[in-house]
PDB file of all heavy atoms in Angstrom:
ATOM      1  N   PHE A   1      -1.698  72.659 135.645  1.00 87.00           N
ATOM      2  CA  PHE A   1      -1.064  73.307 134.498  1.00 87.00           C
ATOM      3  C   PHE A   1      -1.801  74.589 134.145  1.00 87.00           C
ATOM      4  O   PHE A   1      -1.184  75.634 133.928  1.00 87.00           O
ATOM      5  CB  PHE A   1      -1.033  72.361 133.284  1.00 87.00           C
ATOM      6  CG  PHE A   1      -0.728  73.062 131.997  1.00 87.00           C
ATOM      7  CD1 PHE A   1       0.545  73.533 131.723  1.00 87.00           C
ATOM      8  CD2 PHE A   1      -1.726  73.275 131.051  1.00 87.00           C
ATOM      9  CE1 PHE A   1       0.826  74.193 130.529  1.00 87.00           C
ATOM     10  CE2 PHE A   1      -1.456  73.930 129.863  1.00 87.00           C
ATOM     11  CZ  PHE A   1      -0.178  74.398 129.611  1.00 87.00           C
ATOM     12  N   VAL A   2      -3.117  74.533 134.081  1.00 84.00           N
ATOM     13  CA  VAL A   2      -3.923  75.712 133.745  1.00 84.00           C
ATOM     14  C   VAL A   2      -3.717  76.797 134.791  1.00 84.00           C
ATOM     15  O   VAL A   2      -3.541  77.972 134.452  1.00 84.00           O
ATOM     16  CB  VAL A   2      -5.413  75.343 133.594  1.00 84.00           C
ATOM     17  CG1 VAL A   2      -6.284  76.582 133.496  1.00 84.00           C
ATOM     18  CG2 VAL A   2      -5.606  74.446 132.373  1.00 84.00           C
ATOM     19  N   ASP A   3      -3.720  76.418 136.067  1.00 82.00           N
ATOM     20  CA  ASP A   3      -3.495  77.402 137.132  1.00 82.00           C
ATOM     21  C   ASP A   3      -2.146  78.097 136.971  1.00 82.00           C
ATOM     22  O   ASP A   3      -2.045  79.319 137.082  1.00 82.00           O
ATOM     23  CB  ASP A   3      -3.560  76.740 138.509  1.00 82.00           C
ATOM     24  CG  ASP A   3      -4.951  76.294 138.896  1.00 82.00           C
ATOM     25  OD1 ASP A   3      -5.932  76.737 138.250  1.00 82.00           O
ATOM     26  OD2 ASP A   3      -5.066  75.477 139.834  1.00 82.00           O
ATOM     27  N   LEU A   4      -1.107  77.302 136.742  1.00 81.00           N
ATOM     28  CA  LEU A   4       0.234  77.883 136.593  1.00 81.00           C
ATOM     29  C   LEU A   4       0.346  78.718 135.324  1.00 81.00           C
ATOM     30  O   LEU A   4       1.004  79.760 135.320  1.00 81.00           O
ATOM     31  CB  LEU A   4       1.286  76.775 136.599  1.00 81.00           C
ATOM     32  CG  LEU A   4       1.453  76.046 137.927  1.00 81.00           C
ATOM     33  CD1 LEU A   4       2.388  74.857 137.774  1.00 81.00           C
ATOM     34  CD2 LEU A   4       1.936  76.985 139.013  1.00 81.00           C
ATOM     35  N   TYR A   5      -0.296  78.273 134.254  1.00 76.00           N
ATOM     36  CA  TYR A   5      -0.282  79.028 132.997  1.00 76.00           C
ATOM     37  C   TYR A   5      -0.933  80.397 133.194  1.00 76.00           C
ATOM     38  O   TYR A   5      -0.396  81.411 132.763  1.00 76.00           O
ATOM     39  CB  TYR A   5      -1.002  78.246 131.903  1.00 76.00           C
ATOM     40  CG  TYR A   5      -1.144  79.018 130.619  1.00 76.00           C
ATOM     41  CD1 TYR A   5      -0.072  79.150 129.747  1.00 76.00           C
ATOM     42  CD2 TYR A   5      -2.347  79.634 130.283  1.00 76.00           C
ATOM     43  CE1 TYR A   5      -0.195  79.865 128.567  1.00 76.00           C
ATOM     44  CE2 TYR A   5      -2.475  80.353 129.107  1.00 76.00           C
ATOM     45  CZ  TYR A   5      -1.405  80.470 128.259  1.00 76.00           C
ATOM     46  OH  TYR A   5      -1.524  81.181 127.096  1.00 76.00           O
ATOM     47  N   ARG A   6      -2.066  80.398 133.850  1.00 74.00           N
ATOM     48  CA  ARG A   6      -2.758  81.675 134.096  1.00 74.00           C
ATOM     49  C   ARG A   6      -1.923  82.591 134.975  1.00 74.00           C
ATOM     50  O   ARG A   6      -1.847  83.786 134.737  1.00 74.00           O
ATOM     51  CB  ARG A   6      -4.116  81.424 134.746  1.00 74.00           C
ATOM     52  CG  ARG A   6      -5.130  80.860 133.789  1.00 74.00           C
ATOM     53  CD  ARG A   6      -6.442  80.594 134.469  1.00 74.00           C
ATOM     54  NE  ARG A   6      -7.391  80.000 133.536  1.00 74.00           N
ATOM     55  CZ  ARG A   6      -8.394  79.242 133.889  1.00 74.00           C
ATOM     56  NH1 ARG A   6      -8.626  78.973 135.163  1.00 74.00           N
ATOM     57  NH2 ARG A   6      -9.197  78.730 132.986  1.00 74.00           N
ATOM     58  N   ARG A   7      -1.294  82.019 135.986  1.00 73.00           N
ATOM     59  CA  ARG A   7      -0.462  82.828 136.883  1.00 73.00           C
ATOM     60  C   ARG A   7       0.724  83.409 136.125  1.00 73.00           C
ATOM     61  O   ARG A   7       1.046  84.587 136.262  1.00 73.00           O
ATOM     62  CB  ARG A   7       0.041  81.992 138.053  1.00 73.00           C
ATOM     63  CG  ARG A   7       0.890  82.820 139.008  1.00 73.00           C
ATOM     64  CD  ARG A   7       1.479  82.036 140.144  1.00 73.00           C
ATOM     65  NE  ARG A   7       0.476  81.263 140.844  1.00 73.00           N
ATOM     66  CZ  ARG A   7       0.740  80.133 141.490  1.00 73.00           C
ATOM     67  NH1 ARG A   7       1.959  79.658 141.512  1.00 73.00           N
ATOM     68  NH2 ARG A   7      -0.202  79.483 142.119  1.00 73.00           N
ATOM     69  N   ASN A   8       1.381  82.591 135.308  1.00 68.00           N
ATOM     70  CA  ASN A   8       2.545  83.070 134.552  1.00 68.00           C
ATOM     71  C   ASN A   8       2.158  84.093 133.497  1.00 68.00           C
ATOM     72  O   ASN A   8       2.920  85.008 133.205  1.00 68.00           O
ATOM     73  CB  ASN A   8       3.269  81.896 133.893  1.00 68.00           C
ATOM     74  CG  ASN A   8       3.969  81.025 134.904  1.00 68.00           C
ATOM     75  OD1 ASN A   8       4.239  81.442 136.024  1.00 68.00           O
ATOM     76  ND2 ASN A   8       4.243  79.794 134.521  1.00 68.00           N
ATOM     77  N   ARG A   9       0.981  83.922 132.911  1.00 63.00           N
ATOM     78  CA  ARG A   9       0.528  84.843 131.864  1.00 63.00           C
ATOM     79  C   ARG A   9       0.278  86.233 132.430  1.00 63.00           C
ATOM     80  O   ARG A   9       0.511  87.227 131.765  1.00 63.00           O
ATOM     81  CB  ARG A   9      -0.743  84.294 131.224  1.00 63.00           C
ATOM     82  CG  ARG A   9      -1.153  85.039 129.985  1.00 63.00           C
ATOM     83  CD  ARG A   9      -2.380  84.463 129.378  1.00 63.00           C
ATOM     84  NE  ARG A   9      -3.464  84.590 130.362  1.00 63.00           N
ATOM     85  CZ  ARG A   9      -4.660  84.082 130.219  1.00 63.00           C
ATOM     86  NH1 ARG A   9      -4.959  83.393 129.172  1.00 63.00           N
ATOM     87  NH2 ARG A   9      -5.581  84.242 131.145  1.00 63.00           N
ATOM     88  N   THR A  10      -0.171  86.308 133.663  1.00 59.00           N
ATOM     89  CA  THR A  10      -0.457  87.606 134.271  1.00 59.00           C
ATOM     90  C   THR A  10       0.700  88.136 135.115  1.00 59.00           C
ATOM     91  O   THR A  10       0.605  89.214 135.666  1.00 59.00           O
ATOM     92  CB  THR A  10      -1.723  87.526 135.158  1.00 59.00           C
ATOM     93  OG1 THR A  10      -1.512  86.565 136.187  1.00 59.00           O
ATOM     94  CG2 THR A  10      -2.935  87.153 134.324  1.00 59.00           C
ATOM     95  N   SER A  11       1.770  87.380 135.181  1.00 46.00           N
ATOM     96  CA  SER A  11       2.923  87.786 135.967  1.00 46.00           C
ATOM     97  C   SER A  11       3.660  88.931 135.283  1.00 46.00           C
ATOM     98  O   SER A  11       3.830  88.931 134.065  1.00 46.00           O
ATOM     99  CB  SER A  11       3.870  86.599 136.147  1.00 46.00           C
ATOM    100  OG  SER A  11       5.066  87.026 136.759  1.00 46.00           O
ATOM    101  N   PRO A  12       4.156  89.909 136.058  1.00 46.00           N
ATOM    102  CA  PRO A  12       4.922  91.003 135.454  1.00 46.00           C
ATOM    103  C   PRO A  12       6.339  90.581 135.080  1.00 46.00           C
ATOM    104  O   PRO A  12       7.041  91.300 134.392  1.00 46.00           O
ATOM    105  CB  PRO A  12       4.946  92.054 136.561  1.00 46.00           C
ATOM    106  CG  PRO A  12       4.799  91.279 137.825  1.00 46.00           C
ATOM    107  CD  PRO A  12       3.932  90.108 137.478  1.00 46.00           C
ATOM    108  N   ILE A  13       6.745  89.393 135.511  1.00 43.00           N
ATOM    109  CA  ILE A  13       8.086  88.914 135.207  1.00 43.00           C
ATOM    110  C   ILE A  13       8.061  88.237 133.839  1.00 43.00           C
ATOM    111  O   ILE A  13       7.276  87.339 133.588  1.00 43.00           O
ATOM    112  CB  ILE A  13       8.568  87.912 136.270  1.00 43.00           C
ATOM    113  CG1 ILE A  13       8.611  88.593 137.638  1.00 43.00           C
ATOM    114  CG2 ILE A  13       9.923  87.340 135.889  1.00 43.00           C
ATOM    115  CD1 ILE A  13       8.893  87.657 138.772  1.00 43.00           C
ATOM    116  N   VAL A  14       8.929  88.683 132.953  1.00 41.00           N
ATOM    117  CA  VAL A  14       9.007  88.116 131.610  1.00 41.00           C
ATOM    118  C   VAL A  14      10.263  87.265 131.528  1.00 41.00           C
ATOM    119  O   VAL A  14      11.356  87.734 131.829  1.00 41.00           O
ATOM    120  CB  VAL A  14       9.065  89.230 130.537  1.00 41.00           C
ATOM    121  CG1 VAL A  14       9.218  88.629 129.155  1.00 41.00           C
ATOM    122  CG2 VAL A  14       7.845  90.111 130.634  1.00 41.00           C
ATOM    123  N   GLU A  15      10.088  86.021 131.126  1.00 42.00           N
ATOM    124  CA  GLU A  15      11.235  85.139 130.996  1.00 42.00           C
ATOM    125  C   GLU A  15      12.006  85.499 129.740  1.00 42.00           C
ATOM    126  O   GLU A  15      11.440  85.646 128.666  1.00 42.00           O
ATOM    127  CB  GLU A  15      10.760  83.687 130.920  1.00 42.00           C
ATOM    128  CG  GLU A  15      11.886  82.710 131.068  1.00 42.00           C
ATOM    129  CD  GLU A  15      11.372  81.295 131.235  1.00 42.00           C
ATOM    130  OE1 GLU A  15      10.374  81.104 131.924  1.00 42.00           O
ATOM    131  OE2 GLU A  15      12.008  80.407 130.659  1.00 42.00           O
ATOM    132  N   LEU A  16      13.324  85.648 129.888  1.00 35.00           N
ATOM    133  CA  LEU A  16      14.154  86.101 128.784  1.00 35.00           C
ATOM    134  C   LEU A  16      14.713  84.963 127.951  1.00 35.00           C
ATOM    135  O   LEU A  16      15.302  85.200 126.907  1.00 35.00           O
ATOM    136  CB  LEU A  16      15.306  86.954 129.321  1.00 35.00           C
ATOM    137  CG  LEU A  16      14.876  88.242 130.030  1.00 35.00           C
ATOM    138  CD1 LEU A  16      16.083  88.954 130.597  1.00 35.00           C
ATOM    139  CD2 LEU A  16      14.113  89.147 129.079  1.00 35.00           C
ATOM    140  N   THR A  17      14.557  83.724 128.400  1.00 38.00           N
ATOM    141  CA  THR A  17      15.101  82.610 127.628  1.00 38.00           C
ATOM    142  C   THR A  17      14.154  82.248 126.518  1.00 38.00           C
ATOM    143  O   THR A  17      12.950  82.401 126.628  1.00 38.00           O
ATOM    144  CB  THR A  17      15.318  81.386 128.536  1.00 38.00           C
ATOM    145  OG1 THR A  17      14.058  80.998 129.077  1.00 38.00           O
ATOM    146  CG2 THR A  17      16.304  81.670 129.630  1.00 38.00           C
ATOM    147  N   SER A  18      14.724  81.759 125.434  1.00 38.00           N
ATOM    148  CA  SER A  18      13.892  81.347 124.306  1.00 38.00           C
ATOM    149  C   SER A  18      13.429  79.922 124.514  1.00 38.00           C
ATOM    150  O   SER A  18      13.960  79.201 125.346  1.00 38.00           O
ATOM    151  CB  SER A  18      14.671  81.457 123.005  1.00 38.00           C
ATOM    152  OG  SER A  18      15.637  80.433 122.944  1.00 38.00           O
ATOM    153  N   ASN A  19      12.472  79.506 123.729  1.00 42.00           N
ATOM    154  CA  ASN A  19      11.943  78.151 123.806  1.00 42.00           C
ATOM    155  C   ASN A  19      12.651  77.234 122.812  1.00 42.00           C
ATOM    156  O   ASN A  19      12.195  76.154 122.530  1.00 42.00           O
ATOM    157  CB  ASN A  19      10.427  78.165 123.549  1.00 42.00           C
ATOM    158  CG  ASN A  19       9.752  76.915 124.053  1.00 42.00           C
ATOM    159  OD1 ASN A  19      10.308  76.191 124.867  1.00 42.00           O
ATOM    160  ND2 ASN A  19       8.564  76.660 123.564  1.00 42.00           N
ATOM    161  N   SER A  20      13.803  77.650 122.284  1.00 41.00           N
ATOM    162  CA  SER A  20      14.504  76.850 121.289  1.00 41.00           C
ATOM    163  C   SER A  20      15.047  75.562 121.877  1.00 41.00           C
ATOM    164  O   SER A  20      15.238  74.587 121.169  1.00 41.00           O
ATOM    165  CB  SER A  20      15.640  77.654 120.658  1.00 41.00           C
ATOM    166  OG  SER A  20      16.568  78.027 121.646  1.00 41.00           O
ATOM    167  N   ASP A  21      15.323  75.538 123.185  1.00 45.00           N
ATOM    168  CA  ASP A  21      15.812  74.318 123.823  1.00 45.00           C
ATOM    169  C   ASP A  21      14.748  73.237 123.850  1.00 45.00           C
ATOM    170  O   ASP A  21      15.063  72.059 123.935  1.00 45.00           O
ATOM    171  CB  ASP A  21      16.270  74.604 125.256  1.00 45.00           C
ATOM    172  CG  ASP A  21      17.510  75.476 125.290  1.00 45.00           C
ATOM    173  OD1 ASP A  21      18.236  75.511 124.271  1.00 45.00           O
ATOM    174  OD2 ASP A  21      17.748  76.118 126.325  1.00 45.00           O
ATOM    175  N   ALA A  22      13.480  73.614 123.795  1.00 42.00           N
ATOM    176  CA  ALA A  22      12.391  72.635 123.870  1.00 42.00           C
ATOM    177  C   ALA A  22      12.447  71.670 122.702  1.00 42.00           C
ATOM    178  O   ALA A  22      12.132  70.500 122.851  1.00 42.00           O
ATOM    179  CB  ALA A  22      11.042  73.340 123.909  1.00 42.00           C
ATOM    180  N   VAL A  23      12.874  72.135 121.525  1.00 39.00           N
ATOM    181  CA  VAL A  23      12.956  71.247 120.369  1.00 39.00           C
ATOM    182  C   VAL A  23      14.030  70.195 120.600  1.00 39.00           C
ATOM    183  O   VAL A  23      13.837  69.019 120.324  1.00 39.00           O
ATOM    184  CB  VAL A  23      13.237  72.047 119.083  1.00 39.00           C
ATOM    185  CG1 VAL A  23      13.482  71.125 117.912  1.00 39.00           C
ATOM    186  CG2 VAL A  23      12.077  72.988 118.799  1.00 39.00           C
ATOM    187  N   ALA A  24      15.170  70.616 121.139  1.00 43.00           N
ATOM    188  CA  ALA A  24      16.254  69.673 121.384  1.00 43.00           C
ATOM    189  C   ALA A  24      15.888  68.676 122.474  1.00 43.00           C
ATOM    190  O   ALA A  24      16.402  67.569 122.502  1.00 43.00           O
ATOM    191  CB  ALA A  24      17.517  70.431 121.779  1.00 43.00           C
ATOM    192  N   GLU A  25      14.987  69.055 123.398  1.00 45.00           N
ATOM    193  CA  GLU A  25      14.600  68.180 124.480  1.00 45.00           C
ATOM    194  C   GLU A  25      13.429  67.268 124.107  1.00 45.00           C
ATOM    195  O   GLU A  25      13.057  66.410 124.864  1.00 45.00           O
ATOM    196  CB  GLU A  25      14.198  69.008 125.705  1.00 45.00           C
ATOM    197  CG  GLU A  25      15.341  69.808 126.277  1.00 45.00           C
ATOM    198  CD  GLU A  25      14.881  70.786 127.338  1.00 45.00           C
ATOM    199  OE1 GLU A  25      13.669  70.894 127.553  1.00 45.00           O
ATOM    200  OE2 GLU A  25      15.731  71.425 127.944  1.00 45.00           O
ATOM    201  N   ASP A  26      12.839  67.456 122.952  1.00 42.00           N
ATOM    202  CA  ASP A  26      11.694  66.669 122.525  1.00 42.00           C
ATOM    203  C   ASP A  26      12.114  65.208 122.390  1.00 42.00           C
ATOM    204  O   ASP A  26      12.958  64.884 121.566  1.00 42.00           O
ATOM    205  CB  ASP A  26      11.167  67.201 121.192  1.00 42.00           C
ATOM    206  CG  ASP A  26       9.920  66.475 120.728  1.00 42.00           C
ATOM    207  OD1 ASP A  26       9.505  65.478 121.343  1.00 42.00           O
ATOM    208  OD2 ASP A  26       9.359  66.918 119.715  1.00 42.00           O
ATOM    209  N   PRO A  27      11.529  64.300 123.189  1.00 43.00           N
ATOM    210  CA  PRO A  27      11.930  62.897 123.139  1.00 43.00           C
ATOM    211  C   PRO A  27      11.745  62.282 121.754  1.00 43.00           C
ATOM    212  O   PRO A  27      12.549  61.473 121.317  1.00 43.00           O
ATOM    213  CB  PRO A  27      11.016  62.225 124.161  1.00 43.00           C
ATOM    214  CG  PRO A  27      10.528  63.306 125.040  1.00 43.00           C
ATOM    215  CD  PRO A  27      10.534  64.556 124.217  1.00 43.00           C
ATOM    216  N   LEU A  28      10.685  62.666 121.047  1.00 42.00           N
ATOM    217  CA  LEU A  28      10.446  62.125 119.720  1.00 42.00           C
ATOM    218  C   LEU A  28      11.540  62.557 118.754  1.00 42.00           C
ATOM    219  O   LEU A  28      12.089  61.748 118.016  1.00 42.00           O
ATOM    220  CB  LEU A  28       9.073  62.579 119.207  1.00 42.00           C
ATOM    221  CG  LEU A  28       8.650  62.058 117.842  1.00 42.00           C
ATOM    222  CD1 LEU A  28       8.573  60.541 117.859  1.00 42.00           C
ATOM    223  CD2 LEU A  28       7.322  62.655 117.450  1.00 42.00           C
ATOM    224  N   GLN A  29      11.889  63.838 118.771  1.00 47.00           N
ATOM    225  CA  GLN A  29      12.932  64.328 117.880  1.00 47.00           C
ATOM    226  C   GLN A  29      14.302  63.784 118.283  1.00 47.00           C
ATOM    227  O   GLN A  29      15.134  63.487 117.437  1.00 47.00           O
ATOM    228  CB  GLN A  29      12.943  65.851 117.857  1.00 47.00           C
ATOM    229  CG  GLN A  29      11.751  66.409 117.120  1.00 47.00           C
ATOM    230  CD  GLN A  29      11.825  67.904 116.942  1.00 47.00           C
ATOM    231  OE1 GLN A  29      12.777  68.547 117.357  1.00 47.00           O
ATOM    232  NE2 GLN A  29      10.812  68.462 116.322  1.00 47.00           N
ATOM    233  N   ARG A  30      14.539  63.643 119.587  1.00 48.00           N
ATOM    234  CA  ARG A  30      15.817  63.098 120.043  1.00 48.00           C
ATOM    235  C   ARG A  30      15.954  61.645 119.582  1.00 48.00           C
ATOM    236  O   ARG A  30      16.993  61.227 119.086  1.00 48.00           O
ATOM    237  CB  ARG A  30      15.924  63.199 121.563  1.00 48.00           C
ATOM    238  CG  ARG A  30      17.293  62.818 122.077  1.00 48.00           C
ATOM    239  CD  ARG A  30      17.485  63.077 123.565  1.00 48.00           C
ATOM    240  NE  ARG A  30      16.457  62.474 124.366  1.00 48.00           N
ATOM    241  CZ  ARG A  30      15.566  63.154 125.093  1.00 48.00           C
ATOM    242  NH1 ARG A  30      15.585  64.461 125.095  1.00 48.00           N
ATOM    243  NH2 ARG A  30      14.660  62.533 125.815  1.00 48.00           N
ATOM    244  N   ALA A  31      14.866  60.859 119.701  1.00 45.00           N
ATOM    245  CA  ALA A  31      14.891  59.470 119.254  1.00 45.00           C
ATOM    246  C   ALA A  31      15.117  59.395 117.754  1.00 45.00           C
ATOM    247  O   ALA A  31      15.848  58.531 117.263  1.00 45.00           O
ATOM    248  CB  ALA A  31      13.589  58.774 119.625  1.00 45.00           C
ATOM    249  N   ALA A  32      14.504  60.302 117.014  1.00 45.00           N
ATOM    250  CA  ALA A  32      14.683  60.325 115.560  1.00 45.00           C
ATOM    251  C   ALA A  32      16.124  60.655 115.205  1.00 45.00           C
ATOM    252  O   ALA A  32      16.685  60.078 114.279  1.00 45.00           O
ATOM    253  CB  ALA A  32      13.732  61.335 114.930  1.00 45.00           C
ATOM    254  N   ALA A  33      16.718  61.590 115.942  1.00 50.00           N
ATOM    255  CA  ALA A  33      18.092  61.992 115.649  1.00 50.00           C
ATOM    256  C   ALA A  33      19.080  60.872 115.969  1.00 50.00           C
ATOM    257  O   ALA A  33      20.099  60.732 115.297  1.00 50.00           O
ATOM    258  CB  ALA A  33      18.444  63.246 116.451  1.00 50.00           C
ATOM    259  N   GLU A  34      18.775  60.059 116.976  1.00 52.00           N
ATOM    260  CA  GLU A  34      19.677  58.980 117.365  1.00 52.00           C
ATOM    261  C   GLU A  34      19.566  57.784 116.420  1.00 52.00           C
ATOM    262  O   GLU A  34      20.485  57.002 116.303  1.00 52.00           O
ATOM    263  CB  GLU A  34      19.384  58.549 118.798  1.00 52.00           C
ATOM    264  CG  GLU A  34      19.743  59.613 119.810  1.00 52.00           C
ATOM    265  CD  GLU A  34      19.253  59.276 121.207  1.00 52.00           C
ATOM    266  OE1 GLU A  34      18.592  58.235 121.383  1.00 52.00           O
ATOM    267  OE2 GLU A  34      19.524  60.065 122.128  1.00 52.00           O
ATOM    268  N   GLY A  35      18.441  57.635 115.763  1.00 51.00           N
ATOM    269  CA  GLY A  35      18.244  56.503 114.854  1.00 51.00           C
ATOM    270  C   GLY A  35      18.997  56.701 113.559  1.00 51.00           C
ATOM    271  O   GLY A  35      19.251  57.810 113.117  1.00 51.00           O
ATOM    272  N   ASN A  36      19.373  55.603 112.930  1.00 44.00           N
ATOM    273  CA  ASN A  36      20.094  55.672 111.671  1.00 44.00           C
ATOM    274  C   ASN A  36      19.191  55.419 110.478  1.00 44.00           C
ATOM    275  O   ASN A  36      19.638  55.516 109.347  1.00 44.00           O
ATOM    276  CB  ASN A  36      21.244  54.660 111.668  1.00 44.00           C
ATOM    277  CG  ASN A  36      22.304  55.021 112.677  1.00 44.00           C
ATOM    278  OD1 ASN A  36      22.499  56.200 112.957  1.00 44.00           O
ATOM    279  ND2 ASN A  36      22.965  54.030 113.231  1.00 44.00           N
ATOM    280  N   GLU A  37      17.972  55.086 110.711  1.00 57.00           N
ATOM    281  CA  GLU A  37      17.063  54.745 109.634  1.00 57.00           C
ATOM    282  C   GLU A  37      16.418  56.011 109.084  1.00 57.00           C
ATOM    283  O   GLU A  37      15.682  56.692 109.772  1.00 57.00           O
ATOM    284  CB  GLU A  37      16.007  53.775 110.142  1.00 57.00           C
ATOM    285  CG  GLU A  37      16.599  52.522 110.742  1.00 57.00           C
ATOM    286  CD  GLU A  37      15.577  51.746 111.538  1.00 57.00           C
ATOM    287  OE1 GLU A  37      14.380  52.049 111.431  1.00 57.00           O
ATOM    288  OE2 GLU A  37      15.999  50.855 112.275  1.00 57.00           O
ATOM    289  N   GLU A  38      16.687  56.285 107.826  1.00 67.00           N
ATOM    290  CA  GLU A  38      16.200  57.511 107.201  1.00 67.00           C
ATOM    291  C   GLU A  38      14.674  57.564 107.140  1.00 67.00           C
ATOM    292  O   GLU A  38      14.070  58.611 107.400  1.00 67.00           O
ATOM    293  CB  GLU A  38      16.782  57.644 105.795  1.00 67.00           C
ATOM    294  CG  GLU A  38      16.552  58.988 105.175  1.00 67.00           C
ATOM    295  CD  GLU A  38      17.276  59.130 103.863  1.00 67.00           C
ATOM    296  OE1 GLU A  38      18.407  58.627 103.743  1.00 67.00           O
ATOM    297  OE2 GLU A  38      16.703  59.759 102.967  1.00 67.00           O
ATOM    298  N   ASP A  39      14.051  56.447 106.850  1.00 63.00           N
ATOM    299  CA  ASP A  39      12.588  56.411 106.777  1.00 63.00           C
ATOM    300  C   ASP A  39      11.961  56.725 108.129  1.00 63.00           C
ATOM    301  O   ASP A  39      10.976  57.462 108.212  1.00 63.00           O
ATOM    302  CB  ASP A  39      12.095  55.043 106.299  1.00 63.00           C
ATOM    303  CG  ASP A  39      12.444  54.780 104.850  1.00 63.00           C
ATOM    304  OD1 ASP A  39      12.706  55.770 104.121  1.00 63.00           O
ATOM    305  OD2 ASP A  39      12.459  53.608 104.453  1.00 63.00           O
ATOM    306  N   ARG A  40      12.535  56.168 109.168  1.00 65.00           N
ATOM    307  CA  ARG A  40      12.024  56.405 110.516  1.00 65.00           C
ATOM    308  C   ARG A  40      12.148  57.880 110.890  1.00 65.00           C
ATOM    309  O   ARG A  40      11.244  58.473 111.465  1.00 65.00           O
ATOM    310  CB  ARG A  40      12.772  55.529 111.509  1.00 65.00           C
ATOM    311  CG  ARG A  40      12.209  55.583 112.900  1.00 65.00           C
ATOM    312  CD  ARG A  40      12.869  54.536 113.768  1.00 65.00           C
ATOM    313  NE  ARG A  40      12.979  55.090 115.096  1.00 65.00           N
ATOM    314  CZ  ARG A  40      13.919  54.801 115.944  1.00 65.00           C
ATOM    315  NH1 ARG A  40      14.855  53.935 115.624  1.00 65.00           N
ATOM    316  NH2 ARG A  40      13.943  55.349 117.125  1.00 65.00           N
ATOM    317  N   LEU A  41      13.247  58.454 110.516  1.00 67.00           N
ATOM    318  CA  LEU A  41      13.475  59.868 110.788  1.00 67.00           C
ATOM    319  C   LEU A  41      12.428  60.734 110.091  1.00 67.00           C
ATOM    320  O   LEU A  41      11.842  61.625 110.699  1.00 67.00           O
ATOM    321  CB  LEU A  41      14.875  60.276 110.337  1.00 67.00           C
ATOM    322  CG  LEU A  41      15.227  61.752 110.443  1.00 67.00           C
ATOM    323  CD1 LEU A  41      15.186  62.207 111.884  1.00 67.00           C
ATOM    324  CD2 LEU A  41      16.586  62.006 109.840  1.00 67.00           C
ATOM    325  N   HIS A  42      12.189  60.456 108.820  1.00 71.00           N
ATOM    326  CA  HIS A  42      11.189  61.233 108.078  1.00 71.00           C
ATOM    327  C   HIS A  42       9.798  61.064 108.673  1.00 71.00           C
ATOM    328  O   HIS A  42       9.040  62.035 108.779  1.00 71.00           O
ATOM    329  CB  HIS A  42      11.187  60.835 106.595  1.00 71.00           C
ATOM    330  CG  HIS A  42      12.394  61.285 105.857  1.00 71.00           C
ATOM    331  ND1 HIS A  42      12.745  62.615 105.729  1.00 71.00           N
ATOM    332  CD2 HIS A  42      13.358  60.592 105.215  1.00 71.00           C
ATOM    333  CE1 HIS A  42      13.868  62.718 105.044  1.00 71.00           C
ATOM    334  NE2 HIS A  42      14.264  61.503 104.723  1.00 71.00           N
TER     335      HIS A  42
END
């Protein structure tokens, strides 16, 4: 991970996509959204 992070950080290619999809893909947040229990969600 560190090797790839360093390589990407110094790469001249800039990724144009936002990281907003990462929130929707978060397993914890997805599980919270699927649950009906308000306390669990909070």
